[in-house]
Amino acid sequence: KCATGKYYDEAENTCQNCPKNTATITGAADISGCEPCQNAGEYAPEGSGYCLSCTSGKYYHEPANDCLKCPSGSFTATGGVGLEQCEKCPEGFFSSSPGASTCFACQPGKHTNPDQTKCLRCAAGKISGVAAPVCTACDRGKYAEGEGNVECQFCDDEDTVVGSITLRNGTSTRSGCLCPAGEFAFLGDKDE
Protein backbone atom coordinates (compact mmCIF):
# COMPACT_ATOMS: atom_id res chain seq x y z
CA LYS A 1 0.00 0.00 0.00
CA CYS A 2 1.20 3.52 -0.86
CA ALA A 3 1.61 6.34 1.66
CA THR A 4 -0.39 9.59 1.83
CA GLY A 5 -0.06 11.65 -1.36
CA LYS A 6 1.00 8.64 -3.49
CA TYR A 7 -0.63 6.15 -5.85
CA TYR A 8 0.41 2.68 -7.00
CA ASP A 9 1.82 2.63 -10.56
CA GLU A 10 1.31 -0.99 -11.68
CA ALA A 11 3.51 -0.60 -14.80
CA GLU A 12 6.45 0.57 -12.68
CA ASN A 13 5.49 -1.63 -9.69
CA THR A 14 6.15 1.33 -7.39
CA CYS A 15 4.39 4.17 -5.60
CA GLN A 16 4.40 7.55 -7.39
CA ASN A 17 3.48 11.05 -6.19
CA CYS A 18 -0.03 12.22 -7.01
CA PRO A 19 0.14 14.99 -9.66
CA LYS A 20 -0.09 18.62 -8.58
CA ASN A 21 -3.58 19.90 -7.72
CA THR A 22 -4.67 16.35 -6.72
CA ALA A 23 -4.43 14.60 -3.36
CA THR A 24 -5.05 11.34 -1.52
CA ILE A 25 -5.10 11.02 2.26
CA THR A 26 -4.79 7.23 2.45
CA GLY A 27 -2.66 6.45 -0.59
CA ALA A 28 -4.37 5.29 -3.78
CA ALA A 29 -4.59 1.97 -5.61
CA ASP A 30 -4.04 3.81 -8.93
CA ILE A 31 -3.84 7.37 -10.30
CA SER A 32 -7.64 7.72 -10.39
CA GLY A 33 -7.50 7.70 -6.57
CA CYS A 34 -5.65 11.04 -6.62
CA GLU A 35 -8.67 13.35 -6.20
CA PRO A 36 -8.58 16.75 -7.93
CA CYS A 37 -8.84 19.88 -5.77
CA GLN A 38 -12.29 21.25 -6.53
CA ASN A 39 -13.00 24.32 -4.42
CA ALA A 40 -12.11 27.87 -5.46
CA GLY A 41 -8.62 28.83 -4.36
CA GLU A 42 -7.51 25.26 -3.60
CA TYR A 43 -4.21 23.78 -4.78
CA ALA A 44 -1.94 20.88 -3.94
CA PRO A 45 1.76 20.48 -4.62
CA GLU A 46 2.78 17.16 -6.19
CA GLY A 47 2.53 14.29 -3.66
CA SER A 48 -0.02 15.97 -1.36
CA GLY A 49 -2.32 14.23 1.05
CA TYR A 50 -4.85 17.05 1.02
CA CYS A 51 -5.67 20.24 -0.84
CA LEU A 52 -4.57 23.59 0.54
CA SER A 53 -6.41 26.88 0.16
CA CYS A 54 -5.18 30.35 -0.62
CA THR A 55 -7.12 32.83 1.48
CA SER A 56 -9.02 35.76 0.01
CA GLY A 57 -6.74 38.33 -1.60
CA LYS A 58 -4.18 35.66 -2.57
CA TYR A 59 -3.56 33.25 -5.44
CA TYR A 60 -1.48 30.10 -5.85
CA HIS A 61 1.82 30.76 -7.64
CA GLU A 62 3.24 27.48 -8.92
CA PRO A 63 6.94 28.47 -9.28
CA ALA A 64 6.98 29.65 -5.66
CA ASN A 65 4.68 26.77 -4.62
CA ASP A 66 3.00 29.28 -2.34
CA CYS A 67 0.13 31.73 -2.07
CA LEU A 68 1.02 35.25 -3.19
CA LYS A 69 -0.96 38.47 -2.74
CA CYS A 70 -3.02 39.80 -5.65
CA PRO A 71 -1.47 43.03 -7.00
CA SER A 72 -2.86 46.45 -6.05
CA GLY A 73 -5.81 47.39 -8.27
CA SER A 74 -7.15 43.82 -8.17
CA PHE A 75 -8.80 41.44 -5.71
CA THR A 76 -10.05 37.91 -5.11
CA ALA A 77 -12.81 37.25 -2.61
CA THR A 78 -12.17 33.49 -2.34
CA GLY A 79 -8.48 33.00 -3.10
CA GLY A 80 -7.43 31.65 -6.46
CA VAL A 81 -5.31 29.20 -8.40
CA GLY A 82 -3.24 31.48 -10.65
CA LEU A 83 -2.78 35.22 -11.05
CA GLU A 84 -5.64 35.34 -13.59
CA GLN A 85 -8.04 34.74 -10.71
CA CYS A 86 -7.16 38.15 -9.27
CA GLU A 87 -9.90 40.30 -10.81
CA LYS A 88 -9.29 43.92 -11.78
CA CYS A 89 -11.31 46.29 -9.60
CA PRO A 90 -14.50 47.51 -11.32
CA GLU A 91 -14.44 51.03 -12.79
CA GLY A 92 -14.67 53.66 -10.05
CA PHE A 93 -13.33 51.23 -7.43
CA PHE A 94 -9.77 50.75 -6.17
CA SER A 95 -7.51 48.60 -3.99
CA SER A 96 -4.42 50.43 -2.79
CA SER A 97 -2.60 47.52 -1.16
CA PRO A 98 -1.65 44.07 -2.45
CA GLY A 99 -3.76 41.19 -1.14
CA ALA A 100 -7.20 42.83 -1.34
CA SER A 101 -10.31 40.70 -0.86
CA THR A 102 -12.54 43.54 -2.08
CA CYS A 103 -12.27 46.93 -3.79
CA PHE A 104 -13.49 50.25 -2.39
CA ALA A 105 -15.53 52.97 -4.11
CA CYS A 106 -13.99 56.38 -4.71
CA GLN A 107 -15.72 59.14 -2.74
CA PRO A 108 -17.65 61.93 -4.52
CA GLY A 109 -15.32 64.51 -6.05
CA LYS A 110 -12.74 61.85 -6.92
CA HIS A 111 -12.05 59.30 -9.68
CA THR A 112 -9.79 56.25 -10.00
CA ASN A 113 -6.37 56.37 -11.57
CA PRO A 114 -5.82 54.08 -14.63
CA ASP A 115 -4.32 51.28 -12.48
CA GLN A 116 -7.26 51.50 -10.05
CA THR A 117 -4.84 51.66 -7.12
CA LYS A 118 -6.01 55.03 -5.73
CA CYS A 119 -8.54 57.83 -6.07
CA LEU A 120 -7.56 61.24 -7.41
CA ARG A 121 -9.39 64.52 -6.81
CA CYS A 122 -11.30 65.92 -9.77
CA ALA A 123 -9.60 68.91 -11.38
CA ALA A 124 -11.19 72.36 -11.18
CA GLY A 125 -14.08 72.64 -13.65
CA LYS A 126 -15.00 68.95 -13.21
CA ILE A 127 -17.16 66.92 -10.81
CA SER A 128 -17.93 63.32 -9.88
CA GLY A 129 -20.29 61.23 -7.80
CA VAL A 130 -19.57 58.03 -5.85
CA ALA A 131 -17.48 55.36 -7.65
CA ALA A 132 -16.70 57.51 -10.68
CA PRO A 133 -14.15 56.15 -13.16
CA VAL A 134 -13.71 59.69 -14.59
CA CYS A 135 -14.71 63.24 -13.70
CA THR A 136 -17.26 65.09 -15.82
CA ALA A 137 -16.75 68.67 -17.06
CA CYS A 138 -19.25 71.27 -15.87
CA ASP A 139 -21.75 72.21 -18.59
CA ARG A 140 -21.71 75.63 -20.25
CA GLY A 141 -23.16 78.20 -17.89
CA LYS A 142 -21.68 76.48 -14.81
CA TYR A 143 -18.29 76.38 -13.08
CA ALA A 144 -16.47 74.48 -10.30
CA GLU A 145 -13.60 76.19 -8.46
CA GLY A 146 -10.81 74.19 -6.81
CA GLU A 147 -10.33 70.41 -6.85
CA GLY A 148 -12.57 67.60 -5.61
CA ASN A 149 -15.97 69.08 -6.49
CA VAL A 150 -19.22 67.17 -6.35
CA GLU A 151 -21.40 69.79 -8.07
CA CYS A 152 -21.11 72.70 -10.47
CA GLN A 153 -22.30 76.22 -9.61
CA PHE A 154 -24.58 78.21 -11.93
CA CYS A 155 -23.18 81.44 -13.34
CA ASP A 156 -26.67 82.91 -13.75
CA ASP A 157 -27.39 83.84 -10.14
CA GLU A 158 -27.37 86.86 -7.83
CA ASP A 159 -23.95 85.92 -6.36
CA THR A 160 -22.24 85.97 -9.73
CA VAL A 161 -23.90 87.97 -12.52
CA VAL A 162 -27.51 87.34 -13.43
CA GLY A 163 -27.71 86.31 -17.09
CA SER A 164 -24.01 85.38 -17.33
CA ILE A 165 -22.74 82.32 -19.20
CA THR A 166 -19.46 80.51 -19.79
CA LEU A 167 -17.80 80.21 -23.19
CA ARG A 168 -17.11 76.47 -22.83
CA ASN A 169 -17.66 73.36 -20.74
CA GLY A 170 -15.34 72.77 -17.78
CA THR A 171 -15.02 76.36 -16.57
CA SER A 172 -12.92 76.36 -13.43
CA THR A 173 -13.47 79.81 -11.93
CA ARG A 174 -16.29 82.22 -11.22
CA SER A 175 -14.42 84.80 -13.32
CA GLY A 176 -15.15 82.52 -16.31
CA CYS A 177 -18.80 83.61 -16.07
CA LEU A 178 -19.29 86.35 -18.68
CA CYS A 179 -22.12 88.40 -20.07
CA PRO A 180 -23.31 87.22 -23.49
CA ALA A 181 -21.91 89.13 -26.48
CA GLY A 182 -23.43 92.61 -26.76
CA GLU A 183 -24.62 92.74 -23.14
CA PHE A 184 -23.07 94.14 -20.01
CA ALA A 185 -23.53 93.89 -16.27
CA PHE A 186 -24.60 96.87 -14.20
CA LEU A 187 -22.64 96.50 -10.96
CA GLY A 188 -23.84 99.72 -9.30
CA ASP A 189 -25.95 100.13 -6.16
CA LYS A 190 -29.44 98.66 -6.61
CA ASP A 191 -31.00 101.67 -4.80
CA GLU A 192 -29.63 104.24 -7.28
Side-chain angles (χ1 to χ4, degrees), residues 133-184:
V134 296
C135 297
T136 305
C138 293
D139 292 334
R140 285 183 69 181
K142 297 180 181 180
Y143 67 96
E145 291 185 315
E147 296 180 336
N149 290 293
V150 296
E151 65 182 5
C152 299
Q153 305 298 317
F154 282 97
C155 286
D156 184 18
D157 70 10
E158 300 260 336
D159 292 330
T160 309
V161 175
V162 174
S164 63
I165 60 169
T166 60
L167 299 178
R168 59 181 170 74
N169 291 347
T171 300
S172 60
T173 63
R174 177 190 258 182
S175 63
C177 296
L178 308 169
C179 292
E183 296 186 20
F184 67 94

Side-chain angles (χ1 to χ4, degrees), residues 2-3 5-9 14-19 24 28-31 34:
C2 295
K6 297 185 181 287
Y7 70 94
Y8 181 70
D9 182 343
T14 185
C15 292
Q16 303 287 334
N17 284 335
C18 284
T24 178
D30 59 33
I31 196 165
C34 295

Side-chain angles (χ1 to χ4, degrees), residues 8 17 22 26 28 30 46 48 55-56 59-60 75 90 103 115 117 130 139 141-142 153 169 187:
Y8 181 70
N17 284 335
T22 66
T26 59
D30 59 33
E46 183 180 305
S48 293
T55 57
S56 59
Y59 68 96
Y60 177 67
F75 75 103
C103 296
D115 295 333
T117 57
V130 175
D139 292 334
K142 297 180 181 180
Q153 305 298 317
N169 291 347
L187 301 176

